[in-house]
């Protein structure tokens, strides 16, 4: 089994391996008529982010970073987004693998459900979660009988983050599994590998860049989740108030706190992206 040939294939934007015939060598110069529209889009991203960073430091936002509300919001955001990302990996990886390799009843319904949750407005997601798991929701009475109350708790924050972030991981992970050469799978099966050994030693390592790329999208999306969280979990400091919610509240109370949180969230997201992208490249080169 030639694993080196498979693990060194180019990777796509989502981190999933891309067949060689779908990607040619990178050229040194792009056609001139590509540059103006591409530059406009890049400026649309870069100018607001640069302005936010410049305005935040210029307005003296750094002292606000020691504000208890800022620290609480940062700690809660990192905790809940990490838990959400780990739960998505544990549940989304088997789902992505099943969608990539197996035909089963309801497969098309699951695919539509993933795409639907991907494009669904976060506010609608929050209302849906509340209707399903609220005290007066569809499952509310049953949960109450078990002594479980989910809305306006830290668990609700994690659920909201999972709801909106999981589709990004599942789609990227599925692309990673799809790109694994079926001949390698057949060779491992012929050599007597069990289903678990096939997944553990063949599929998962070769789809590693796609899994890590999905983790990048999932984790950062969970870190920045706002709409579903505020509707399903509320905005209670120290309990459900994540950084995006604290930014929203800061604009009403103190713009300095909002600027400080915005810059901090931007920096944390940037560091997280850089770290995970390096891990992604290492997995692709391995």
């Amino acid at each position: 089994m030639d694993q080196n040939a498979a693990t060194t294939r180019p990777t796509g934007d989502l981190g999933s391996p891309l067949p060689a015939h779908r990607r040619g060598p990178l050229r040194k110069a792009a056609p001139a008529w590509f540059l103006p529209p591409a530059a406009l889009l890049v400026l649309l991203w870069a100018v607001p982010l640069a302005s936010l960073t410049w305005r935040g430091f210029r307005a003296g936002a750094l002292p606000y970073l020691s504000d208890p509300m800022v620290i609480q919001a940062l700690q809660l955001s990192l905790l809940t987004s990490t838990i959400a990302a780990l739960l998505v990996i544990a549940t989304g990886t088997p789902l992505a693998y099943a969608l990539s390799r197996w035909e089963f009843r309801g497969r098309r319904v699951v695919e539509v459900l993933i795409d639907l949750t991907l494009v669904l407005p976060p506010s609608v997601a929050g209302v849906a979660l509340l209707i399903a798991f609220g005290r007066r929701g569809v499952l509310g009475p049953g949960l109450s009988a078990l002594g479980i109350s989910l809305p306006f708790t830290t668990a609700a924050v994690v659920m909201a983050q999972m709801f909106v972030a999981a589709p990004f991981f599942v789609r990227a992970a599925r692309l990673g599994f799809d790109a694994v050469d079926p001949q390698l799978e057949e060779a491992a099966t012929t050599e007597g590998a069990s289903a678990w050994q096939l997944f553990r030693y063949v599929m998962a390592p070769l789809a590693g860049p796609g899994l890590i790329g999905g983790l990048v999208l999932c984790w950062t999306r969970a870190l920045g989740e706002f709409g579903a969280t505020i509707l399903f979990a509320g905005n209670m400091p120290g309990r459900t108030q994540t950084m995006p919610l604290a930014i929203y509240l800061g604009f009403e109370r103190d713009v300095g706190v909002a600027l400080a949180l915005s810059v901090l969230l931007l920096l944390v997201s940037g560091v997280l992206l850089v770290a995970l992208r390096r891990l992604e490249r290492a997995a692709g080169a391995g």
Side-chain angles (χ1 to χ4, degrees):
M1 183 186 307
D2 187 4
Q3 294 188 2
N4 292 332
T7 56
T8 56
R9 287 179 295 174
T11 58
D13 292 338
L14 290 178
S16 56
L18 207 60
H21 68 276
R22 292 179 57 190
R23 177 177 177 178
L26 295 177
R27 296 175 175 83
K28 293 183 179 180
W33 55 274
F34 270 66
L35 298 180
L40 285 175
L41 183 56
V42 172
L43 288 174
L44 179 62
W45 292 327
V47 171
L49 295 180
S51 300
L52 171 63
T53 305
W54 174 77
R55 181 65 180 274
F57 285 108
R58 184 173 179 270
L62 289 179
Y64 288 97
L65 297 180
S66 60
D67 188 289
M69 186 182 76
V70 174
I71 296 175
Q72 283 184 344
L74 174 61
Q75 291 175 340
L76 184 63
S77 291
L78 291 176
L79 174 64
T80 55
S81 62
T82 300
I83 294 174
L86 292 175
L87 290 174
V88 168
I89 292 174
T91 56
T93 302
L95 177 58
Y97 188 44
L99 291 172
S100 174
R101 284 299 189 264
W102 299 328
E103 282 288 348
F104 55 89
R105 182 174 299 179
R107 185 171 181 267
R108 298 290 179 260
V109 175
V110 174
E111 291 175 339
V112 171
L113 189 61
I114 293 171
D115 292 338
L116 182 60
T117 52
L118 185 66
V119 302
L120 197 68
S123 57
V124 177
V127 172
L129 287 169
L130 194 60
I131 294 299
F133 301 104
R135 293 182 180 89
R136 297 183 180 179
V138 176
L139 302 178
L143 293 173
S144 297
L146 297 174
I148 301 174
S149 179
L150 292 174
F152 310 108
T153 63
T154 305
V157 177
V158 175
M159 291 177 64
Q161 292 173 340
M162 286 185 63
F163 188 96
V164 300
F168 293 90
F169 175 82
V170 174
R171 285 175 63 90
R174 180 182 177 180
L175 288 174
F177 288 126
D178 284 345
V180 176
D181 190 344
Q183 292 183 355
L184 297 176
E185 184 178 0
E186 293 174 3
T189 303
T190 302
E191 292 294 329
S194 64
W196 168 248
Q197 290 173 328
L198 173 64
F199 174 80
R200 171 65 179 85
Y201 297 106
V202 179
M203 301 299 295
L206 294 179
L211 298 174
I212 297 174
L215 174 60
V216 171
L217 297 175
C218 171
W219 201 346
T220 51
R221 179 65 185 88
L223 189 64
E225 162 51 29
F226 173 81
T229 304
I230 196 170
L231 288 173
F232 184 49
N235 190 9
M236 293 175 283
R239 188 176 181 183
T240 66
Q241 188 180 85
T242 58
M243 292 177 69
L245 272 61
I247 292 172
Y248 175 77
L249 186 63
F251 271 108
E252 298 180 351
R253 296 183 177 179
D254 192 333
V255 177
V257 174
L259 282 173
L261 274 167
S262 298
V263 173
L264 184 58
L265 183 57
L266 179 61
L267 294 176
V268 170
S269 299
V271 170
L272 184 61
L273 280 171
V274 170
L276 291 175
R277 288 299 184 190
R278 287 185 176 179
L279 182 61
E280 178 186 4
R281 287 194 294 269

